[in-house]
Amino acid sequence: MHITKASYLISSPEVDKCPPADRPEYAFIGRSNVGKSSVINMICRNQKLAKTSRSPGKTQMINHFEISSVSKEGAKDFFKWYLVDLPGYGFAKVSQAQRKQWEKMIENYLRKRENLVMVFILIDGRHEPQKIDLDFVNQLGEWQIPFSLIFTKADKETQRVVSKNVKMFLEEMRKTWQFLPAHVVTSAIKQQGREKLMGMISDMNKEIPG
Ligand code: GTP
Ligand code: MG
């Protein structure tokens, strides 16, 4: 798959305000500052597309990006889909009220958005399994929402440490899950994991009648 165009469309404060659900949609969620916006930019090869920041809590709404792709460079079989950048969870500096509002917005979005094909849950590859991520994974399971895992910032640790963290996370999941989700290790700096992510999205797009 080759992306021919990627552009910002709209930021919505709630699911009912999102653009028409007329094409497949893939959403990125995870802890604040984990690298959601950076992974979207890596996929689209545009560092300025989704706003990134050193300080957590940058992304606050449901942000839609409109993507056009073809099966391979030069082909004319254009296909349109959405990427969605979501605000992060676990940001310490927000009030209880703001947190509740965030939870409601995300729950409504995840459970009501009809064209949502897959949620990518991002996990910081530098750390051992964190309760907040496992809780979120289990929540999606309860809601029966399909998801895959993306382990981010692989360039900031040795491969050995990242592999160990991935293994530990999956082992933690295995205690309660019968099947384990697909996972990808990424580095936005090194463009690591891009091909695998593109392949996954391409395969899912093919399942959807054009
Ligand atoms: P919020 O929207 O605030 O929740 O953050 P986010 O999850 O969208 O994270 P964002 O993409 O803004 O990245 C946060 C910080 O981590 C930025 O300073 C990025 O440059 C940095 N970062 C993201 N991905 C990587 C990566 O793969 N490697 C390295 N070294 N830094 C990364
Ligand atoms: Mg962001």
Side-chain angles (χ1 to χ4, degrees):
M1 184 173 67
H2 176 77
I3 292 178
T4 52
K5 193 167 166 250
S7 53
Y8 165 75
L9 182 62
I10 195 168
S11 299
S12 318
E14 52 182 300
V15 65
D16 300 338
K17 304 254 162 54
C18 285
D22 59 359
R23 62 195 81 174
E25 179 160 318
Y26 305 91
F28 294 76
I29 197 159
R31 277 193 105 146
S32 196
N33 215 41
V34 69
K36 300 175 288 294
S37 302
S38 301
V39 163
I40 288 179
N41 291 345
M42 170 174 87
I43 291 171
C44 299
R45 293 200 195 278
N46 178 349
Q47 295 322 307
K48 292 185 186 134
L49 191 63
K51 300 257 183 319
T52 63
S53 168
R54 264 178 220 280
S55 46
K58 178 74 193 166
T59 311
Q60 295 196 342
M61 292 211 267
I62 303 165
N63 301 295
H64 274 80
F65 297 90
E66 228 175 354
I67 317 293
S68 276
S69 63
V70 289
S71 55
K72 56 176 187 284
E73 223 173 333
K76 294 269 183 279
D77 50 353
F78 295 98
F79 191 80
K80 286 181 188 259
W81 39 288
Y82 286 132
L83 284 179
V84 172
D85 194 10
L86 294 167
Y89 51 76
F91 179 36
K93 285 186 194 153
V94 300
S95 65
Q96 195 64 23
Q98 262 179 299
R99 191 169 315 211
K100 279 268 165 299
Q101 197 200 336
W102 181 91
E103 282 174 5
K104 201 68 224 162
M105 175 179 88
I106 296 299
E107 176 173 356
N108 283 336
Y109 169 77
L110 294 174
R111 300 181 80 174
K112 290 189 186 167
R113 187 71 173 158
E114 303 119 50
N115 58 332
L116 182 60
V117 177
M118 172 73 66
V119 177
F120 289 100
I121 303 178
L122 278 72
I123 295 159
D124 194 323
R126 295 173 297 177
H127 307 308
E128 293 188 356
Q130 308 280 303
K131 184 174 183 301
I132 192 166
D133 294 321
L134 288 160
D135 286 349
F136 193 79
V137 159
N138 291 329
Q139 180 67 263
L140 284 199
E142 260 171 53
W143 292 338
Q144 299 192 307
I145 294 167
F147 66 89
S148 300
L149 303 176
I150 296 181
F151 292 89
T152 64
K153 306 193 184 184
D155 59 281
K156 287 195 159 190
E157 258 301 348
T158 60
Q159 201 188 333
R160 198 180 64 83
V161 169
V162 176
S163 300
K164 186 175 115 265
N165 292 338
V166 171
K167 194 162 163 248
M168 281 175 79
F169 195 94
L170 295 173
E171 270 167 14
E172 205 54 52
M173 276 188 74
R174 201 186 284 284
K175 291 179 184 168
T176 49
W177 290 71
Q178 191 181 358
F179 300 104
L180 294 178
H183 71 274
V184 187
V185 175
T186 63
S187 161
I189 303 273
K190 293 185 172 172
Q191 297 270 303
Q192 179 186 342
R194 183 179 186 272
E195 287 312 310
K196 187 163 176 189
L197 280 173
M198 291 281 282
M200 286 166 74
I201 293 173
S202 169
D203 286 346
M204 291 185 276
N205 279 344
K206 280 182 203 144
E207 303 283 311
I208 289 137

